[in-house]
């Protein structure tokens, strides 16, 4: 049974720092991995989608990597801003989509 | 491209009452999903539709939850009767084909509070 773990559960960093969020999964036989952002009381906004054949995807200050063999993905946020404060969720797709519990990120002004 | 539309945004009901949520996916998306997200947890799939047929409802509590997508476009999710533990955000998502390479697009969700 696929399990997705996100570490840390919560993170506070000063504005301007670069940071890394981690996602691990137990079964490497996935088709893709997607990172989402969720603001309080809101739905999920897709940030990056990495297919199983890809190693990374980039969008602006965000870079996501995927290492299927080790069951890991990282989301790198460069030059963090207070507006980046949100919960970040990763989801892996095998026969179903399985979500982690998320990392609550707080950027300190 | 319009996103996934959901209504209502918020709903407060008493236990044992009934409630219904509505979702309109992105135009042309064949696959529609309903997720339940309890506070502090990741979303959990309740039901997946491919056009107007059910693909997966293995985690839907069928004694109280029901969902339909009659014309293969919009969908409703109903809870009858509601329990306190049903308090959660109900998210609707859609994807183009439901294929293994597809990403998902989510709506803003409906926050349900059962008192």
């Amino acid at each position: 049974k696929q399990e997705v773990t996100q570490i840390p559960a919560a993170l506070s960093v000063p504005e301007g720092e670069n940071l890394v969020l981690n996602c691990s999964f137990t079964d490497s036989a996935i088709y893709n991995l997607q990172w989402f952002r969720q603001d309080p009381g809101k739905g999920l906004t897709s940030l990056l989608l990495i297919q199983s054949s890809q190693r990374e995807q980039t969008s602006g200050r965000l870079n996501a990597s995927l290492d299927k063999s080790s069951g890991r993905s990282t989301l790198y946020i460069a030059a963090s801003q207070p507006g980046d404060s949100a919960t970040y969720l990763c989801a892996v797709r095998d026969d179903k989509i399985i979500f982690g519990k998320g990392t609550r990120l707080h950027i300190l002004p | 491209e319009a996103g996934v539309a959901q209504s209502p945004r918020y709903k407060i009901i008493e236990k044992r009452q009934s409630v219904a949520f509505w979702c309109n996916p992105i135009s042309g998306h064949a696959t529609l999903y309903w997720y339940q997200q309890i506070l502090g947890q990741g979303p959990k799939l309740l039901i997946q539709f491919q056009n107007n047929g059910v693909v997966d409802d293995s985690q839907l509590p069928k004694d109280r939850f029901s969902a339909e997508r009659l014309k293969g476009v919009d969908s409703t999710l109903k809870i009858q009767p509601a329990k306190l533990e049903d308090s959660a955000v109900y998210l609707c998502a859609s994807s183009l084909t439901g294929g293994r390479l597809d990403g998902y697009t989510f709506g803003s969700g409906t926050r349900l509070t059962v008192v």
Side-chain angles (χ1 to χ4, degrees), chain A residues 32 38 43 51 93 96-97, chain B residues 37 56 98-101 104 108:
Chain A
N32 62 50
Q38 186 172 33
Q51 302 296 347
R93 175 74 185 272
K96 300 182 179 184
I97 277 202
Chain B
Q37 186 179 22
D56 184 353
R100 294 168 178 172
L101 301 183
Y104 286 22
S108 297

Side-chain angles (χ1 to χ4, degrees), chain A residues 43-100:
Chain A
L44 278 63
T45 300
S46 179
L47 297 174
L48 291 163
L49 171 66
I50 311 176
Q51 302 296 347
S52 62
S53 58
Q54 298 173 324
R55 294 301 297 266
E56 64 177 351
Q57 284 286 332
T58 298
S59 175
R61 294 182 294 108
L62 305 179
N63 175 276
S65 68
L66 174 63
D67 184 343
K68 271 184 53 177
S69 61
S70 67
R72 293 182 181 180
S73 175
T74 61
L75 178 66
Y76 175 83
I77 303 177
S80 59
Q81 304 170 357
D84 295 330
S85 297
T87 296
Y88 291 80
L89 293 153
C90 77
V92 300
R93 175 74 185 272
D94 46 29
D95 289 333
K96 300 182 179 184
I97 277 202
I98 308 296
F99 282 85

Side-chain angles (χ1 to χ4, degrees), chain B residues 11 13-20 78-82 112:
Chain B
K11 191 74 177 179
I13 62 172
E14 295 182 350
K15 59 183 179 183
R16 292 187 289 274
Q17 285 188 325
S18 302
V19 64
K78 297 179 181 178
I79 308 175
Q80 179 180 9
L112 173 67

Side-chain angles (χ1 to χ4, degrees), chain B:
Chain B
E1 171 180 86
V4 176
Q6 288 190 247
S7 67
R9 287 297 314 277
Y10 306 94
K11 191 74 177 179
I12 301 174
I13 62 172
E14 295 182 350
K15 59 183 179 183
R16 292 187 289 274
Q17 285 188 325
S18 302
V19 64
F21 313 128
W22 174 83
C23 173
N24 190 12
I26 291 175
S27 178
H29 278 200
T31 312
L32 185 148
Y33 313 82
W34 282 102
Y35 283 84
Q36 180 193 58
Q37 186 179 22
I38 293 172
L39 187 64
Q41 303 288 320
K44 181 186 81 171
L45 178 68
L46 292 176
I47 189 167
Q48 176 184 342
F49 291 96
Q50 187 71 20
N51 297 308
N52 61 348
V54 175
V55 174
D56 184 353
D57 63 357
S58 57
Q59 298 191 90
L60 187 73
K62 299 180 185 64
D63 57 334
R64 297 183 301 106
F65 286 64
S66 64
E68 60 182 13
R69 193 186 184 199
L70 292 176
K71 297 183 179 179
V73 181
D74 56 351
S75 175
T76 56
L77 175 70
K78 297 179 181 178
I79 308 175
Q80 179 180 9
K83 293 184 176 182
L84 296 177
E85 59 260 37
D86 298 331
S87 294
V89 176
Y90 290 84
L91 296 162
C92 179
S94 69
S95 64
L96 183 60
T97 68
R100 294 168 178 172
L101 301 183
D102 275 5
Y104 286 22
T105 302
F106 280 81
S108 297
T110 296
R111 179 176 294 277
L112 173 67
T113 303
V114 182
V115 297

